[in-house]
Amino acid sequence: DFEVQPGEIFVIMGPSGSGKSVLLKHLIGLEPPDSGEILINDEPVDSAETAEKYRMAMVFQSGALLNSLSVGENVGLYLAEHRLKKPEEIDKIVSEKLRDVGLADAKEKAPSELSGGMKKRAAIARALVIEPQLILYDEPTSELDPLSAVVIGEEIAKLNKRTGVTSMVVSHDRDLAFGIASRIAFITEGRIISISSPEE
């Protein structure tokens, strides 16, 4: 059992196979939990009413960009597919979100032209277009060199500070966790064994 406070960066650490990714799947509704429940403000996360009230976004470990689309098209895909905005509005939002993550010049590029760190930032921009109240990050610094990992950590922290979005980060990266976390939870065999602040 654990609670995540509004606006905090909550990092979950643990060995491979400990249940970190399964927990994320529970949170976004890809897998139902065997027992217990997940609540947002005391409302079940899997109810239609909750889905309408709260917006969650996921930044996948691989970035999950579509190679057949430009970076800009990837970032605006959700809005375009669901016809939530006019094309000119989508274009403006995409430019804004790419600028927010330091990729203003990458809009027309193909994902294959981006470095690993740039792909992660593009994935963060794509998450931001829906103005989420909660962003889930799955191993955001995996497969990155140390410098790129630091940049991604800084982006997560800046977004949290600027927008007040609640962030949950699953990571093996100790430097990332202790650099950005409000609190850190350690999980093993599907159980949270401790929660502490980085200073403790």
Side-chain angles (χ1 to χ4, degrees), residues 170-185:
V170 160
S171 182
H172 283 97
D173 188 337
R174 182 181 174 86
D175 290 337
L176 173 75
F178 283 84
I180 68 171
S182 307
R183 291 185 299 150
I184 302 171

Side-chain angles (χ1 to χ4, degrees), residues 3-10 166-167 183:
E3 291 184 8
V4 178
Q5 303 303 318
E8 77 172 327
I9 300 177
F10 190 87
T166 304
S167 305
R183 291 185 299 150

Side-chain angles (χ1 to χ4, degrees), residues 104-174:
D105 297 330
K107 189 174 177 181
E108 303 303 328
K109 291 184 177 180
S112 59
E113 297 178 78
L114 304 185
S115 67
M118 291 169 78
K119 287 178 182 176
K120 301 267 185 174
R121 283 187 279 154
I124 293 172
R126 183 178 56 193
L128 291 176
V129 298
I130 65 167
E131 302 289 344
Q133 292 115 319
L134 171 64
I135 301 182
L136 308 174
Y137 298 88
D138 187 10
E139 298 286 358
T141 58
S142 67
E143 301 176 12
L144 297 182
D145 62 82
L147 184 57
S148 296
V150 169
V151 171
I152 292 299
E154 289 174 346
E155 288 295 341
I156 294 171
K158 281 194 295 185
L159 287 171
N160 176 266
K161 187 173 183 179
R162 187 173 68 245
T163 66
V165 66
T166 304
S167 305
M168 287 188 66
V169 183
V170 160
S171 182
H172 283 97
D173 188 337
R174 182 181 174 86

Side-chain angles (χ1 to χ4, degrees), residues 39-110:
L39 307 174
I40 298 182
N41 286 345
D42 297 322
E43 299 176 59
V45 73
D46 56 358
S47 75
E49 292 81 5
T50 304
E52 286 182 12
K53 272 197 210 175
Y54 305 104
R55 295 180 303 280
M56 288 191 289
M58 177 90 170
V59 178
F60 293 94
Q61 184 172 337
S62 64
L65 301 178
L66 299 175
N67 291 322
S68 59
L69 302 178
S70 69
V71 171
E73 288 169 333
N74 267 283
V75 172
L77 184 61
Y78 182 86
L79 298 179
E81 284 289 301
H82 293 272
R83 297 178 180 166
L84 299 175
K85 303 280 185 182
K86 294 179 181 178
E88 56 271 22
E89 289 181 83
I90 294 174
D91 189 65
K92 184 178 179 182
I93 292 168
V94 167
S95 296
E96 176 188 318
K97 300 311 178 187
L98 284 171
R99 188 170 59 249
D100 285 347
V101 298
L103 291 177
D105 297 330
K107 189 174 177 181
E108 303 303 328
K109 291 184 177 180

Side-chain angles (χ1 to χ4, degrees), residues 10-49:
F10 190 87
V11 178
I12 301 170
M13 300 189 73
S16 296
S18 60
K20 301 186 302 298
S21 293
V22 172
L23 177 58
L24 287 185
K25 289 177 182 177
H26 290 337
L27 290 170
I28 61 175
L30 288 177
E31 285 185 17
D34 294 331
S35 62
E37 56 186 350
I38 298 164
L39 307 174
I40 298 182
N41 286 345
D42 297 322
E43 299 176 59
V45 73
D46 56 358
S47 75
E49 292 81 5

